Amino acid sequence: MSEFAGKDRIAARSVGRSEVGAGHALFGLALLAYPAVASDFFLTQIGGLSLIEGMIALSLMTLAGYGGMVSLAQLSVAGIAGYVVAILGHNDTGVQGYDWPWAVTVPLAILAAAATSALIGWISARTSGIYTIMITLAIATAVFYFAQQNYVIFNGHSGFAGIPAPVFFGEDWRAPVPFYYLCLFAAAASYAGVLYVRRSTFGLTVQGMRDNERRMRALGFSVILHKVFAWFLSGIVAGIAGVLLVWFHGRISPSSIDVAASLNILVMAVIGGLRHPIGPFVGALVVVLLQTFASDLVGAERFNTLIGLTFLIIVYISDDGILGLWRQFAPRFDHADRSAG
Amino acid sequence: MTLHRTSIIALAMAACLTAPWPVLADETLKIGVIATLEGPFTVLGQEGIRGVRVAVNEFGGAVAGKKIELIEQATDATPDSAVRAARTLVEQKGVKLIIGPLSGDEGLAVKDYAKTQPDVTFVNGASAAQDFTLRNPAPNVFRFSTDGAQWNAGLGTYAYQVKGYKNVAIVAEDYSFPYTQVFGFLAEFCKAGGRVASKSWVPIGNKDFSSVIAAIPDNVDAIYVALGGSDAVNFLSQYQQAGGSAPIIGGSITVDQNVLQSKGKAREVLIGTPSSGPVAELTDSPAWNTFAAAYKKQPDAFPSPSIFALSYYVDAKPLLMALQRTGADLSDGGKKLRETLSKISYESPTGKISLDKNRNAIANEFITEVAVASDGTLYKKLVKVVSQTNQTLGFPEAEFIAMGPVGRDKPTCGK
């Protein structure tokens, strides 16, 4: 990860205040106006799902991009939030399901996810690079198999079905338009949170640890504590996404959090770009679009090949996903843009 | 003005998303087909598609003057992927008729989704989960094939009375389809007076069965094995190597061509193995022969139609018949179509099929035994037809429901 460091610092300086400038306002308006032109399918199945999976990828991206810790367990963290909602709230499966109100289950779910994330962070904080990946992969696999084989708590292979989204303020929040705005609000809040934290003292300290851990330790910072807290924060983002995901599907089972799905989250973050928090959302949108429409382009039997090839091409020609591509092919525009800002 | 570069990409993408999609002519009738076209069950999903195509060809590719357009949607056998496929078909492609999915848990997930789309008519593919129709059924979900418990109708009684097995061990995979199979077997076997010595639940794709084999008591009369594909081959060969000698009772997908073609000692042990299911080589029946001949014309078809081709076929055909009868008119949200569907009764390749009040099939099941053909190969010889099996396996409905939903511990077998 350290090779990102130099470029990232330059990028951070150059982007500066333009981050919350007109580009964001215009983009935000476009997202707000999207329901006016999109069908229900594009609102939820593409828009909503991209925002949710983008948030999970964002939680991975913040750890990887700013902390140098690539975690394959973020989907498991989101899954724990989803399972908590299914177990403590209502489900139709007849296993667990305590019918607690959403106002109780949702905060508990997010807290459980954040605490799990912090625990994973604490376990893996002493490792770096490929070892972090291995540990988090092992944890993701363990969570999957535990959920798959535990029938008392997780209801095994079948998982939970019939989990409703709440109805409040007179809205059914699983109806397409309200659900889209709910996802948009959560995603925007997470995005803004990441932008804020990365330039806070804490965020800069974590980035310092990514670049030179020994020096930061010599300066008197507690590396473990900072890392664990970074995991906790990213766990909150993943947890919110996990709650939305279970409302979206209305169900959760081990197949929702299996290793292939976890790797998909990494793919989203990587092809979107790891240097800016918008990257995971771009990556999630591309992956969701491909997963939905690839079978129309090349038939139901070969669509995975198309998805794979797309990833390969993006990763091959760009050092930082789609964001990197943009920087490579529009340098002049980029320059003019910056001077105008 | 400042425009952040990434924002522009995203804006451009958003613009693409709202572009209009091509609208098809009115004269085609879109039918969505959900099948496992990726992952471990790919071959089975392809079989399902063949079954649907045979049914469509039978109608000349059109019903009531409208050309049928099949839209295939792939899943990987997980419930999530099945719901995603159904959503894409209904919400994006505007499909009002769906055939599928293939596996048990997929079926349960699609049933839940079907409740949110009352105007769409869902007909099963090959999902054999009991609660696809038995508990909390969806009014727009139909199953003209039978469930995994029905597939084992008659087998428990046959094993107890004809084969004389009083005490069996169970070895099965740990998910809903084998639960349903074990349920169907034990419901009758226990009622007849049989006992269960041990139950072993193994994960799908298990390679090493040594601990499972060690846990099987020595004094069992037989082992009921509900494993599929390579799991079955692995278990049977390892059981032989470990010196096991108890006879086998097969689940509906346990004794398939793979197992029958195996060499060595396993082969000897298999002779006489009873199993049961919705398919048998009914070479005396013209209806079966017609179907088998049409099936073999499909590209890459197997020598004989499998459970999955037959299941998708027997589910697709009544849908087409009902469409034909109602003039393929879905303008009332498919209400008339579903009324017609629920009353359909027809002669399938394996005999008469009609629906019960939960829209689940009442159909024939077949008990077979592995036998040696004149050319030395093993085949499944038909020994008994369990005529017109209903979903409660002949039990009174209240008693059957009281046994509880399928699971590792159901039924309790007298304990």
Side-chain angles (χ1 to χ4, degrees):
Chain A
M1 288 302 128
S2 60
E3 73 268 25
F4 289 157
K7 288 182 200 166
D8 195 46
R9 231 174 279 135
I10 296 163
R13 208 182 303 139
S14 68
V15 170
R17 269 186 321 170
S18 78
E19 265 178 354
V20 282
H24 271 77
L26 198 64
F27 185 40
L29 275 178
L31 283 174
L32 282 173
Y34 180 55
V37 289
S39 67
D40 286 356
F41 179 81
F42 274 97
L43 259 189
T44 54
Q45 198 69 20
I46 305 293
L49 191 60
S50 300
L51 289 167
I52 295 170
E53 302 214 319
M55 284 169 72
I56 304 174
L58 175 68
S59 100
L60 187 158
M61 175 267 153
T62 47
L63 288 175
Y66 304 132
M69 301 171 283
V70 177
S71 165
L72 291 180
Q74 293 316 103
L75 183 65
S76 313
V77 170
I80 282 169
Y83 267 112
V84 169
V85 169
I87 291 167
L88 297 182
H90 178 81
N91 71 63
D92 285 344
T93 311
V95 178
Q96 307 285 352
Y98 295 99
D99 285 331
W100 290 10
W102 67 271
V104 181
T105 59
V106 169
L108 278 177
I110 295 169
L111 197 67
T116 311
S117 182
L119 181 69
I120 298 171
W122 182 71
I123 293 169
S124 61
R126 285 166 192 81
T127 63
S128 65
I130 195 156
Y131 301 102
T132 313
I133 300 180
M134 288 307 293
I135 284 189
T136 52
L137 176 63
I139 291 171
T141 312
V143 170
F144 165 73
Y145 275 106
F146 187 71
Q148 169 103 335
Q149 298 188 357
N150 181 296
Y151 281 78
V152 179
I153 307 171
F154 292 99
N155 197 31
H157 184 82
S158 314
F160 298 98
I163 304 156
V167 176
F168 57 92
F169 301 147
E171 290 282 358
D172 171 11
W173 289 89
R174 183 57 185 85
V177 175
F179 186 73
Y180 171 77
Y181 281 120
L182 187 65
C183 294
L184 183 61
F185 173 75
S190 311
Y191 175 76
V194 170
L195 281 187
Y196 173 76
V197 170
R198 80 165 188 176
R199 279 176 300 167
S200 68
T201 318
F202 168 74
L204 293 172
T205 313
V206 170
Q207 288 171 65
M209 286 165 184
R210 170 196 66 193
D211 295 342
N212 194 330
E213 196 174 313
R214 285 179 64 192
R215 185 177 293 174
M216 294 305 280
R217 195 176 288 127
L219 288 170
F221 288 101
S222 166
V223 172
I224 301 283
L225 219 56
H226 275 80
K227 281 188 174 178
V228 170
F229 190 61
W231 279 84
F232 182 83
L233 292 180
S234 89
I236 292 177
V237 174
I240 297 171
V243 172
L244 291 172
L245 197 62
V246 81
W247 286 347
F248 173 73
H249 287 305
R251 55 173 294 110
I252 186 163
S253 66
S255 68
S256 320
I257 54 166
D258 65 10
V259 173
S262 298
L263 288 175
N264 252 346
I265 299 294
L266 178 68
V267 167
M268 288 172 193
V270 170
I271 71 166
L274 282 171
R275 275 188 222 128
H276 191 278
I278 197 72
F281 291 103
V282 176
L285 180 64
V286 171
V287 173
V288 168
L289 282 175
L290 273 175
Q291 281 176 340
T292 313
F293 295 112
S295 66
D296 296 340
L297 299 177
V298 290
E301 289 173 11
R302 292 280 174 270
F303 74 96
N304 273 328
T305 315
L306 179 70
I307 297 176
L309 277 176
T310 311
F311 296 159
L312 212 61
I313 291 168
I314 291 174
V315 175
Y316 184 74
I317 60 179
S318 166
D319 66 336
D320 189 32
I322 295 169
L323 294 188
L325 273 185
W326 180 258
R327 285 181 194 121
Q328 276 178 31
F329 290 109
R332 273 193 214 145
F333 184 85
D334 179 38
H335 201 72
D337 178 22
R338 202 183 300 158
S339 57
Chain B
M1 108 166 185
T2 313
L3 211 53
H4 192 254
R5 47 192 173 259
T6 49
S7 315
I8 295 169
I9 301 183
L11 272 178
M13 281 179 167
C16 295
L17 288 190
T18 56
W21 290 79
V23 181
L24 290 157
D26 282 345
E27 286 316 295
T28 57
L29 186 67
K30 288 187 279 184
I31 301 181
V33 184
I34 301 175
T36 52
L37 296 177
E38 49 173 320
F41 294 166
T42 305
V43 176
L44 316 182
Q46 290 164 344
E47 270 289 277
I49 299 279
R50 277 179 209 123
V52 175
R53 291 213 177 117
V54 171
V56 172
N57 288 348
E58 221 171 90
F59 284 78
V63 283
K66 292 186 184 172
K67 194 171 172 299
I68 296 168
E69 185 199 353
L70 293 179
I71 305 179
E72 295 164 16
Q73 202 71 35
T75 75
D76 58 9
T78 61
D80 288 9
S81 69
V83 173
R84 193 161 56 225
R87 275 216 177 106
T88 307
L89 286 170
V90 174
E91 294 171 29
Q92 196 247 321
K93 296 183 179 166
V95 167
K96 295 283 174 207
L97 307 160
I98 288 185
I99 301 169
L102 183 130
S103 82
D105 284 324
E106 287 185 307
L108 298 178
V110 167
K111 177 192 83 174
D112 285 332
Y113 174 71
K115 289 181 181 170
T116 68
Q117 299 290 343
D119 286 348
V120 180
T121 305
F122 291 79
V123 175
N124 184 39
S127 174
Q130 199 173 55
D131 286 340
F132 189 63
T133 49
L134 188 62
R135 291 178 184 83
N136 303 316
N140 50 340
V141 169
F142 298 80
R143 175 158 61 190
F144 289 89
S145 47
T146 42
D147 76 23
Q150 286 175 286
W151 290 1
N152 272 352
L155 185 64
T157 316
Y158 182 80
Y160 187 85
Q161 286 174 355
V162 180
K163 303 296 279 189
Y165 304 146
K166 313 289 181 209
N167 189 21
V168 300
I170 306 276
V171 178
E173 283 148 343
D174 200 359
Y175 70 103
S176 66
F177 172 64
Y179 297 162
T180 316
Q181 288 250 285
V182 169
F183 187 100
F185 172 73
L186 287 184
E188 285 188 20
F189 184 71
C190 297
K191 196 172 187 194
R195 283 183 297 120
V196 175
S198 70
K199 284 183 188 172
S200 307
W201 302 105
V202 299
I204 302 171
N206 193 28
K207 299 282 183 294
D208 179 6
F209 285 90
S210 51
S211 62
V212 173
I213 290 165
I216 297 171
D218 288 339
N219 62 349
V220 294
D221 299 326
I223 307 172
Y224 175 84
V225 182
L227 302 170
S230 57
D231 288 354
V233 177
N234 283 338
F235 171 78
L236 292 173
S237 58
Q238 288 178 32
Y239 183 64
Q240 292 316 310
Q241 284 157 11
S245 58
I248 303 294
I249 306 166
S252 299
I253 62 168
T254 306
V255 186
D256 67 357
Q257 287 302 320
N258 266 328
V259 175
L260 291 177
Q261 282 163 12
S262 63
K263 304 268 191 305
K265 259 175 82 183
R267 189 187 139 87
E268 309 299 317
V269 174
L270 276 173
I271 297 169
T273 296
S275 64
S276 64
V279 192
E281 296 266 347
L282 303 168
T283 40
D284 296 340
S285 149
W288 172 266
N289 288 336
T290 314
F291 168 67
Y295 165 83
K296 275 181 215 164
K297 287 188 196 133
Q298 291 293 318
D300 305 319
F302 292 128
S304 153
S306 70
I307 232 173
F308 299 96
L310 179 80
S311 191
Y312 270 78
Y313 171 83
V314 301
D315 274 306
K317 186 169 176 188
L319 176 65
L320 300 177
M321 287 163 70
L323 283 167
Q324 188 83 279
R325 284 182 203 172
T326 54
D329 178 15
L330 300 172
S331 53
D332 58 348
K335 221 173 130 211
K336 211 164 74 197
L337 173 74
R338 287 191 288 277
E339 265 167 36
T340 314
L341 256 183
S342 56
K343 291 187 199 114
I344 275 188
S345 159
Y346 78 110
E347 278 301 319
S348 80
T350 55
K352 186 185 160 212
I353 292 180
S354 57
L355 292 187
D356 64 15
K357 66 179 171 50
N358 285 348
R359 294 162 300 283
N360 189 78
I362 300 170
N364 292 343
E365 305 292 339
F366 305 93
I367 297 178
T368 55
E369 258 183 37
V370 177
V372 189
S374 51
D375 60 356
T377 57
L378 296 182
Y379 78 109
K380 295 206 283 194
K381 189 176 78 177
L382 179 64
V383 294
K384 192 171 181 227
V385 179
V386 186
S387 186
Q388 297 300 297
T389 306
N390 68 6
Q391 199 173 18
T392 59
L393 309 176
F395 286 82
E397 189 179 333
E399 186 187 330
F400 193 77
I401 297 276
M403 290 186 207
V406 300
R408 289 171 157 193
D409 313 322
K410 302 287 173 51
T412 44
C413 216
K415 270 178 237 166

